[in-house]
Amino acid sequence: MSGNHNLLRRWQGPMTRELLQKPAAFGLGKVPERLVPNATTRMVCGFCSTGCSLDAHLVDGHAVNLTPTAVHSVNLGMACPKGWEALTPLEAADRATVPLLRDERGVLRPVSWRKAMERFCGEFRRIQETHGPDSVAWLGSGQITTEELAFLGALGKFGMGIRHGDGNTRQCMASSVVAYKQAFGFDAPPFTYADFEQSDVIVLVGSNLAIAHPILWQRVLRNRNNPQIVVLDPRTTETASAATLHLPLGPKSDLVLLYSLAHILIARDWVDHGFISKSTSGYDAFRKFVAPFTPDFAAGQSGLKVEVIEQLAEMIHNGKAVSFWWTMGVNQGHEAVRTAQAIINLALMTGNIGRPGTGANSITGQCNAMGSRLFSNTTSLFGGRDFESADDRRAVADILNLSVDRIPDTNSLAYDEIVAGIREGRIKGLWLVGTNPSHSWIHQGEFNELIRNLEFFVVQDMYHSTETAQRADLMLPAAGWGEKEGTFINSERRFGVIKKVRRPPGEAMSDFDIFRLVAHFWGCGELFADWTTPERVFQIVKQLSAGRPCDITGIRDYQALDDCGGIQWPWCGNGGDAGNPPTERRLFEDGRFFTEDQRARFLVETPRPPGEVPDSQFPWILLTGRGTSAQWHTQSRTSKSQILQKLYPAGLYLELNPEDAARVGVGTGDRVRITSRRGSIHASVFITSTVRPGQVFLPMHYPQVNRLTYAEFDPYSRQPSYKSCAVRIDVAN
Amino acid sequence: MPPVADPSEPEFDLISLLLEDQQRLTAVEKFSQQHHAASGHLHRSLYQDLIPLSAPGPGEQYGFEVDLDKCSGCKACVVACHSLNGLDEDESWRNVGLLTSRTPQKAAPAPTPAVMQHVTTTCHHCVDPACLNGCPVLAYEKDPLTGIVRHLDDQCIGCQYCVMKCPYDVPKYSDRMGIVRKCDMCQQRLGDGEAPACVQACPTEAIRIQVVNVAGIRGEYLLASGGPRGNGFLPDSPAPDYTLPTTRFLSTRPALKDLSAADADVVQPAPAHVPLVFLLVLSQWSVGLALAGGSPWVRDVSVLRLLAGGALATVLMGLGLGALHLGQPFRAWRVFLGWRRSWFSREAILFGLYSGLVAAWCAASWQMPSAGSALGRTTAIVGLAAVWSSIMVYVDTRRAFWAMRHTAPRFLSTTVMLGAAGFGAVGALPGEPARNLAALVFGVSLLKVFLELILFRHLEATPGTPLAGSARLLLSHLARWTAVRLGSLAVGGLLLPGLMLSGVLPLDASGFAFSLALLVVSEFAERFLFFRAVVPEKMPGGVT
């Protein structure tokens, strides 16, 4: 362009310079000139459980931009929109910057940390003294680090004498936890992401992988075996649209369908007898149990054709490496544990486990769902131990150097039982950390009524604007991902590090430091004398894992995690420093499980209908789920990025089949009222034949959706069943 | 190890210690640097197969290729474009739309299989770019080697005509900068052998850069006869025979053509462009007054002076207010540069010439009234040419609501009607001429009402088309403005002239003045609706 300087046409100038790019160092390629970094560092993403590695571009330690790490086993140089925009939500105007305390007139007003802590301890102590120690409970989050979860769990149970603590992972992963524990003897997802690329048959149950886990869908599309991709989902999702076989089964008919697949495999003797006899128990009872689940019966229940069910059974039989994957379509069901186990049964009976490209694999939801499962000290004692086992309590007491009496000898209430405790007046104080149940809890209207009965309600969050924080008596401002250190554990059991690349606003501090403050002001600081930094707590977590299936004693420190691009559990390193572990490892390669007899269990139960089914008054089934890749859960973070806002509809929309739209008399863009027995909300209509007649779909990210949902829970996992309730659709006036 | 202390010891301040520690950024000091010495781009091996090995040869250019079978709708491309190009907070040059099936299963003999098909799109770097052809200041250039359609940000005057011209809704106006910006295929990256941001960032390798044959594209789009939607490009997207887009959309989905854009049924009012509303109405009114000045019905020189003065005032006001439309008005002197291709340039040149002539005519009407009539006629003729160029500015966008048959009658009738009413108001010859003027106002108004009402037949006759969309907007979002428009036209253009013609009201200046006042209101409302009710073409959008 050098010859092109003239008065009439301007090729150069200040506006052109705004978009000038410059090659950056560190292998980043060209970046905007005004964002050229002088260092980079990689860290694991803080949204979902995929655990992508992101390179923060640093100028004097401060992150100015971010790109997906080029060479990393998880994300292979890619990220979804949330990952690309991970820094933006940190800058939001509604970040909580100081503690807020509700005054006599009901207004949240800024107070000092000292005042906040005195009030926190004073109120919770008073409640415990008045109503008994179990009258205070906490609810944590799969969004905070393993070290923070461990601190919260130890502080709550051993320091403050709180028995009842749970986490929002109850809403996403609890069913998989119980399914694995019962079937494998430990909460142990067996897979590694390479399995996506090594299968020749990939069966996705209740998973819109392409939208919910785009980077895992990337692995599916990189599979060079020309795999059969089978999707079981009532909706024709993006994933189903791209599948080689989609089974649009009726909602909540999955358990029957899965049993009928087992029936066909047994009837045709398409089972791996060697594996069954060597590595499993309970097969005979299982075989008898599934005998009545004929393809005809399943076809009647699911609305599928017999041939399609048989076709899938045949695919499973013909596959050399069949992998089964499930997410919330299974976990958030009224018989979710048994459904997950029905999938596990299929993998066990066909010997599709412990080999490359196989497995019965639960893909988790939140970035640290697994940290919560293993080390939050809530449902299970540290390291997947049992509160009710004296040996386990003794082991933990020894490691933590505390009196064994401090460890509760009974289990915590589950999330919904804590909510019921509030209803019944047994729980009077509640401490929420990094979660937003006023939006996300099933039948939220009741929840929001109940929390008014609390005598003291504390919310600890990055934003003072969340639906829940606005209802708090005390709001504690937390630092977020990128403003603190710690580790997350992803879906394939990989520990990854997060780092401090941004300063939190005002007086916000990491959840870790807030827990230090609480310990200090509660007067139990001496118990946590060693819990001074996240990395020291990581060393404590290592000790807690020793000898457990999730043993990580071989991971030296954060630097080792950073150098290796994350390390999967278990890694005991054969007595210290045994070099770096292989990048991708799967469990059960020797056919031995974590049960006492080292055999996996076949577990079954007679299917039953959900608690609420459509009737003449409420004739539609309401399905809920992920809307777009740019939205995360209750949107407290993703709504803060203007570029992400462009990627999803601003208002709530209802997916409606054309036939039903004609029945209601509405077109795309028209407003409708959706009513369940619990509430009534409005949405605009999106007509698409990807939902079946009689079913409608709402994306879960909009705050009003859970006013409709029906509070039913899996009896074993206590996980809410978000994906099935009965509604009516009317034209909105 | 930081000490842990008894809270009763006031000298130990854990809070301050933690707050201080919280503000320390530790990633660099605590972790060793990876790729410290790496140069180039570590992602290169991931995308090297997605960009061409060599530059295009003669008769070739670069084009995007999108494999729809792989586009899963994650939209990482949109955000990567934003991040890697350092764009404004809400700015990205990519967009992802959604095609879905919506035929009732019972109604259709062979229902379209249910499907969600996302479509990532950006600038198509067209063979014959409408943006470039319309730009009045040559702020676009098509790179002769690569074919990339590049926008010159420091040349742009922010007239947004490219936004109206591009059928794909690609150039985006920035209020902050007062200019438009658009995708340049990351030409700085491509020049260094790096892939564009979107290509780098697609997890499923759905986007690549290909070398395309220009003659092949011409042949395909100019000769091909489309399917049921008549375009052979994508459903619910603009016909490609206009600008010859170079993006290739690949799909193995047999029913792709039967899908609909998620937002196909949703219409939203377009920007009002209020300065342009003033520019058009006032400039046309001016030309109408100039036409009146050339007519034999001018009573005396005082009327001539009023007409000339009125023509000058209205055109200057129109041009002045119209300039407010520009984001970068101080660059606007270059507006003549695009005259070879841009009707916008021609309109600016002709109205520039016209306002000079009006000024001269106005001056002449004071200095030497006898010279006024020849100059007046020249002025009126140039004025009509300028109005014609205004018509062509909008016709040339190929937007249905702005087609010749809609725009020309509107603009010409505004010219005639306001000119006639204005003439009457400043004092035409009494008797037959005044009667003729009133009849002209009445007749033109009747024509306008008719033309505007017959648009509504598209609601039934061609539902789903842009014209039906315009009709829907006029009756829904814009219903109040439609009522103002038609109400003031009915009174000012039909009732008052009708009463004057039938002798109920006197045929005098005051009657015309009342009529004129209402007609001016009516015409502003009409022109406001002209902009707001247009339904621009665009690529398939998402759920709204």
Side-chain angles (χ1 to χ4, degrees):
Chain A
M1 304 292 164
S2 55
N4 284 330
H5 291 289
N6 69 35
L7 186 65
L8 291 179
R9 278 184 101 185
R10 298 184 64 198
W11 275 266
Q12 308 293 338
M15 291 190 176
T16 309
R17 265 199 300 282
E18 269 197 27
L19 298 178
L20 221 53
Q21 293 160 4
K22 210 177 148 181
F26 320 110
L28 295 177
K30 280 197 147 94
V31 298
E33 192 182 45
R34 62 200 157 78
L35 299 174
V36 173
N38 59 19
T40 64
T41 197
R42 67 178 177 184
M43 48 204 278
V44 67
C45 179
F47 282 101
C48 88
S49 67
T50 303
C52 295
S53 179
L54 304 172
D55 285 347
H57 302 192
L58 306 175
V59 173
D60 302 333
H62 175 91
V64 295
N65 206 348
L66 183 155
T67 48
T69 305
V71 184
H72 194 274
S73 68
V74 168
N75 48 320
L76 315 178
M78 301 296 149
C80 82
K82 301 183 291 294
W84 277 97
E85 271 295 272
L87 291 170
T88 308
L90 300 175
E91 298 153 9
D94 56 349
R95 283 294 301 271
T97 57
V98 285
L100 300 170
L101 183 66
R102 199 170 292 282
D103 67 11
E104 299 76 21
R105 294 154 74 187
V107 183
L108 281 172
R109 297 208 182 274
V111 290
S112 69
W113 270 108
R114 172 170 293 276
K115 171 102 194 226
M117 283 297 108
E118 285 167 0
R119 196 63 187 271
F120 178 100
C121 297
E123 289 289 335
F124 280 155
R125 271 196 192 287
R126 182 188 59 74
I127 291 170
Q128 283 187 324
E129 280 159 16
T130 317
H131 305 286
D134 292 347
S135 59
V136 172
W138 87 79
L139 293 169
S141 170
Q143 300 290 145
I144 61 177
T145 66
T146 306
E147 294 78 357
E148 290 170 336
L149 284 162
F151 205 152
L152 175 60
L155 171 65
K157 295 221 171 180
F158 310 152
M160 299 168 71
I162 300 175
R163 186 186 311 266
H164 301 311
D166 201 3
N168 64 4
T169 41
R170 183 71 63 182
Q171 291 160 281
C172 65
M173 294 323 307
S175 299
S176 293
V177 173
V178 178
Y180 280 140
K181 265 189 185 168
Q182 293 179 346
F184 295 163
F186 196 79
D187 176 17
F191 61 98
T192 189
Y193 290 154
D195 288 323
F196 278 115
E197 297 180 34
Q198 292 164 338
S199 300
D200 58 0
V201 178
I202 296 170
V203 183
L204 296 160
V205 187
S207 163
N208 188 5
L209 200 67
I211 291 298
H213 301 91
I215 300 306
L216 299 182
W217 182 245
Q218 163 192 359
R219 304 295 288 261
V220 171
L221 290 202
R222 288 187 188 214
N223 185 317
R224 301 291 171 231
N225 305 322
N226 192 23
Q228 302 284 347
I229 304 168
V230 184
V231 173
L232 276 63
D233 197 315
R235 295 162 65 218
T236 312
T237 60
E238 287 81 353
T239 312
S241 296
T244 41
L245 179 66
H246 172 214
L247 280 68
L249 72 174
K252 303 298 160 215
S253 65
D254 44 4
L255 189 53
V256 170
L257 177 70
L258 293 163
Y259 286 155
S260 85
L261 289 169
H263 172 104
I264 300 168
L265 292 168
I266 291 168
R268 303 196 184 175
D269 199 24
W270 287 343
V271 293
D272 185 339
H273 293 289
F275 184 85
I276 291 168
S277 65
K278 186 172 134 291
S279 295
T280 71
S281 67
Y283 178 67
D284 283 339
F286 172 62
R287 203 186 49 187
K288 288 187 190 110
F289 175 85
V290 297
F293 291 90
T294 61
D296 283 326
F297 177 65
Q301 295 283 305
S302 65
L304 299 170
K305 290 195 177 108
V306 170
E307 306 87 79
V308 178
I309 301 172
E310 287 174 339
Q311 187 188 352
L312 174 53
E314 204 167 331
M315 273 185 185
I316 294 169
H317 168 61
N318 289 335
K320 292 180 179 61
V322 184
S323 57
F324 300 87
W325 310 81
W326 74 87
T327 54
M328 297 313 141
V330 169
N331 284 344
Q332 294 176 336
H334 68 288
E335 44 194 0
V337 169
R338 293 296 177 245
T339 309
Q341 286 165 343
I343 298 168
I344 293 171
N345 294 341
L346 290 175
L348 293 174
M349 71 194 294
T350 55
N352 276 303
I353 197 154
R355 290 184 290 114
T358 66
N361 306 327
S362 153
I363 304 162
T364 48
Q366 304 182 78
C367 54
N368 202 24
M370 200 178 289
S372 174
R373 290 152 71 167
L374 294 176
F375 297 110
S376 67
N377 205 34
T378 51
T379 307
S380 57
L381 183 58
F382 279 120
R385 292 180 175 87
D386 187 353
F387 280 104
E388 294 182 341
S389 151
D391 291 345
D392 283 357
R393 291 199 301 277
R394 164 61 47 204
V396 169
D398 287 348
I399 295 166
L400 298 182
N401 197 20
L402 51 83
S403 158
V404 76
D405 316 335
R406 284 188 170 271
I407 304 182
D409 58 3
T410 55
N411 285 320
S412 163
L413 295 180
Y415 200 139
D416 71 298
E417 294 161 338
I418 290 174
V419 174
I422 303 172
R423 186 189 301 122
E424 292 151 15
R426 288 181 286 120
I427 305 282
K428 295 286 189 183
L430 185 64
W431 179 17
L432 286 188
V433 180
T435 189
N436 188 13
S438 290
H439 178 316
S440 67
W441 189 246
I442 196 156
H443 187 188
Q444 62 164 239
E446 194 209 9
F447 178 85
N448 288 330
E449 275 300 310
L450 287 178
I451 55 176
R452 294 159 66 155
N453 300 338
L454 291 168
E455 290 181 15
F456 199 58
F457 179 34
V458 181
V459 174
Q460 183 169 321
D461 202 288
M462 288 171 68
Y463 302 98
H464 60 68
S465 58
T466 69
E467 287 79 3
T468 315
Q470 300 205 325
R471 293 172 157 90
D473 296 310
L474 176 67
M475 200 273 143
L476 300 176
W481 172 94
E483 298 168 341
K484 60 185 185 182
E485 275 182 1
T487 59
F488 293 150
I489 315 175
N490 78 354
S491 280
E492 49 161 8
R493 312 181 313 281
R494 186 179 305 277
F495 277 77
V497 195
I498 65 166
K499 304 176 187 175
K500 268 168 92 172
V501 295
R502 281 285 181 96
R503 294 182 178 87
E507 295 185 359
M509 57 171 98
S510 67
D511 297 290
F512 188 91
D513 284 347
I514 296 174
F515 301 143
R516 280 191 72 190
L517 274 188
V518 170
H520 178 80
F521 279 85
W522 193 271
C524 59
E526 78 289 350
L527 272 182
F528 300 99
D530 285 341
W531 300 54
T532 50
T533 66
E535 189 148 16
R536 292 178 76 113
V537 172
F538 179 72
Q539 297 299 335
I540 295 170
V541 167
K542 276 169 62 176
Q543 293 171 39
L544 289 165
S545 77
R548 307 291 303 162
C550 56
D551 192 328
I552 51 160
T553 49
I555 303 176
R556 194 184 67 240
D557 54 12
Y558 284 176
Q559 185 64 55
L561 285 174
D562 201 36
D563 291 342
C564 295
I567 296 173
Q568 290 168 299
W569 67 258
W571 185 242
C572 29
N574 305 327
D577 191 7
N580 291 340
T583 308
E584 303 232 26
R585 290 174 296 133
R586 65 185 59 76
L587 302 178
F588 312 133
E589 285 180 317
D590 57 0
R592 288 189 296 190
F593 293 83
F594 297 122
T595 48
E596 258 176 38
D597 59 5
Q598 299 192 333
R599 288 165 174 272
R601 304 271 185 273
F602 286 97
L603 295 160
V604 290
E605 188 168 326
T606 304
R608 58 190 166 81
E612 187 176 78
V613 292
D615 55 23
S616 57
Q617 211 187 344
F618 297 96
W620 275 275
I621 298 180
L622 169 63
L623 311 172
T624 67
R626 182 70 70 96
T628 65
S629 297
Q631 289 167 293
W632 181 244
H633 289 181
T634 71
Q635 290 253 68
S636 57
R637 278 182 291 168
T638 45
S639 68
K640 306 298 154 61
S641 154
Q642 291 185 45
I643 200 71
L644 294 183
Q645 284 172 23
K646 294 179 88 134
L647 305 184
Y648 56 80
L652 178 65
Y653 60 96
L654 176 80
E655 292 186 4
L656 188 66
N657 183 276
E659 277 177 39
D660 289 342
R663 222 165 96 199
V664 181
V666 287
T668 290
D670 290 347
R671 302 284 296 167
V672 287
R673 193 174 74 231
I674 310 149
T675 310
S676 78
R677 288 185 176 83
R678 293 150 294 281
S680 184
I681 64 174
H682 289 81
S684 69
V685 169
F686 169 44
I687 298 180
T688 173
S689 48
T690 54
V691 288
R692 298 294 174 278
Q695 302 169 24
V696 292
F697 173 81
L698 287 174
M700 65 178 179
H701 314 285
Y702 299 82
Q704 58 273 52
V705 171
N706 277 313
R707 281 158 58 185
L708 303 177
T709 45
Y710 172 70
E712 183 176 23
F713 304 88
D714 178 277
Y716 307 102
S717 70
R718 305 307 306 168
Q719 182 161 350
S721 173
Y722 281 101
K723 297 180 182 296
S724 172
C725 76
V727 296
R728 184 174 70 229
I729 316 289
D730 303 294
V731 181
N733 296 318
Chain B
M1 184 187 94
V4 170
D6 186 333
S8 61
E9 287 173 33
E11 67 278 11
F12 172 70
D13 187 357
L14 180 62
I15 295 171
S16 303
L17 186 97
L18 293 179
L19 284 174
E20 205 171 298
D21 184 58
Q22 190 67 68
Q23 294 297 317
R24 281 177 48 234
L25 298 175
T26 54
V28 175
E29 68 183 68
K30 289 185 75 168
F31 292 92
S32 62
Q33 289 286 295
Q34 268 143 7
H35 311 304
H36 200 64
S39 60
H41 196 196
L42 289 168
H43 278 78
R44 195 178 300 265
S45 64
L46 300 172
Y47 59 64
Q48 62 191 6
D49 297 338
L50 303 176
I51 54 176
L53 290 170
S54 53
E60 294 178 330
Q61 73 159 86
Y62 286 143
F64 284 107
E65 183 181 280
V66 176
D67 186 342
L68 293 176
D69 292 350
K70 291 180 177 171
C71 180
S72 61
C74 79
K75 308 181 187 179
C77 51
V78 179
V79 185
C81 170
H82 162 82
S83 291
L84 289 178
N85 287 314
L87 304 184
D88 285 350
E89 277 310 302
D90 61 346
E91 187 183 16
S92 177
W93 296 332
R94 257 200 186 274
N95 191 34
V96 176
L98 174 63
L99 296 171
T100 188
S101 45
R102 51 177 191 181
T103 41
Q105 312 284 308
K106 283 177 195 155
T112 310
V115 64
M116 293 262 188
Q117 174 65 65
H118 292 271
V119 182
T120 174
T121 110
T122 180
C123 176
H124 297 308
H125 298 278
C126 301
V127 170
D128 189 15
C131 54
L132 182 150
N133 292 335
C135 181
V137 293
L138 306 183
Y140 283 91
E141 63 178 12
K142 189 163 174 69
D143 188 282
L145 180 65
T146 61
I148 291 172
V149 178
R150 190 190 163 204
H151 181 255
L152 310 181
D153 291 352
D154 283 287
Q155 179 77 0
C156 176
I157 60 172
C159 74
Q160 303 159 63
Y161 189 45
C162 53
V163 177
M164 297 181 189
K165 283 278 289 175
C166 173
Y168 304 103
D169 191 28
V170 164
K172 288 286 181 326
Y173 183 71
S174 158
D175 284 323
R176 176 179 70 84
M177 287 183 294
I179 61 166
V180 302
R181 299 209 285 199
K182 69 172 273 295
C183 163
D184 66 351
M185 210 183 256
C186 288
Q187 63 164 13
Q188 297 175 72
R189 292 198 166 87
L190 270 178
D192 263 12
E194 285 182 25
C198 53
V199 176
Q200 286 184 29
C202 179
T204 56
E205 302 181 332
I207 312 170
R208 61 169 69 218
I209 304 295
Q210 292 281 62
V211 171
V212 298
N213 185 288
V214 171
I217 289 172
R218 271 184 205 286
E220 181 176 345
Y221 290 144
L222 294 179
L223 303 176
S225 64
R229 285 167 201 274
N231 73 44
F233 188 53
L234 278 179
D236 283 333
S237 59
D241 58 353
Y242 171 24
T243 64
L244 307 177
T246 63
T247 304
R248 317 288 294 170
F249 290 98
L250 310 179
S251 173
T252 58
R253 208 177 278 293
L256 187 74
K257 288 236 169 295
D258 301 322
L259 303 181
S260 308
D263 62 344
D265 288 342
V266 180
V267 285
Q268 286 295 330
H273 294 306
V274 172
L276 296 181
V277 171
F278 281 99
L279 171 72
L280 290 174
V281 174
L282 290 169
S283 66
Q284 286 157 24
W285 187 5
S286 171
V287 174
L289 294 174
L291 284 170
S295 84
W297 299 332
V298 176
R299 190 173 59 204
D300 56 32
V301 71
S302 68
V303 170
L304 185 72
R305 284 171 184 163
L306 281 173
L307 289 173
L312 184 63
T314 44
V315 76
L316 291 182
M317 211 188 312
L319 292 177
L321 291 172
L324 297 177
H325 173 69
L326 302 178
Q328 290 289 341
F330 296 111
R331 299 177 184 171
W333 58 272
R334 296 189 180 91
V335 73
F336 64 89
L337 287 175
W339 66 276
R340 286 171 191 274
R341 278 184 296 219
S342 167
W343 280 104
F344 193 103
S345 267
R346 294 169 193 168
E347 184 193 34
I349 293 167
L350 285 167
F351 269 112
L353 180 60
Y354 168 75
S355 38
L357 286 169
V358 172
W361 174 48
C362 189
S365 71
W366 284 92
Q367 300 300 320
M368 29 180 191
S370 59
S373 62
L375 186 55
R377 276 194 290 276
T378 313
T379 305
I381 289 166
V382 172
L384 276 178
V387 171
W388 187 255
S389 70
S390 290
I391 293 169
M392 289 308 298
V393 163
Y394 297 94
V395 172
D396 201 36
T397 62
R398 299 207 184 190
R399 292 177 171 184
F401 189 52
W402 292 351
M404 180 65 85
R405 68 196 161 96
H406 298 286
T407 306
R410 273 172 198 273
F411 288 14
L412 292 174
S413 63
T414 302
T415 308
V416 171
M417 192 171 74
L418 293 184
F423 192 8
V426 299
L429 282 173
E432 200 55 25
R435 172 168 292 278
N436 287 346
L437 281 182
L440 194 59
V441 171
F442 186 89
V444 171
S445 298
L446 201 61
L447 178 75
K448 285 201 131 191
V449 170
F450 174 72
L451 288 174
E452 284 166 40
L453 289 180
I454 60 167
L455 180 78
F456 295 113
R457 80 184 192 281
H458 290 283
L459 287 172
E460 293 288 323
T462 59
T465 60
L467 283 179
S470 294
R472 275 172 61 199
L473 282 172
L474 289 170
L475 292 179
S476 55
H477 299 73
L478 304 169
R480 273 190 209 165
W481 282 93
T482 306
V484 169
R485 158 62 177 165
L486 291 175
S488 53
L489 181 61
V491 177
L494 297 176
L495 183 64
L496 288 179
L499 293 175
M500 285 156 73
L501 288 169
S502 58
V504 177
L505 286 178
L507 261 170
D508 63 6
S510 62
F512 280 107
F514 278 121
S515 170
L516 178 67
L518 285 165
L519 289 176
V520 169
V521 170
S522 183
E523 291 301 285
F524 278 125
E526 179 262 302
R527 210 49 50 91
F528 178 82
L529 292 170
F530 176 76
F531 285 104
R532 297 226 72 190
V534 72
V535 176
E537 287 201 278
K538 62 184 199 57
M539 295 297 282
V543 181
T544 53

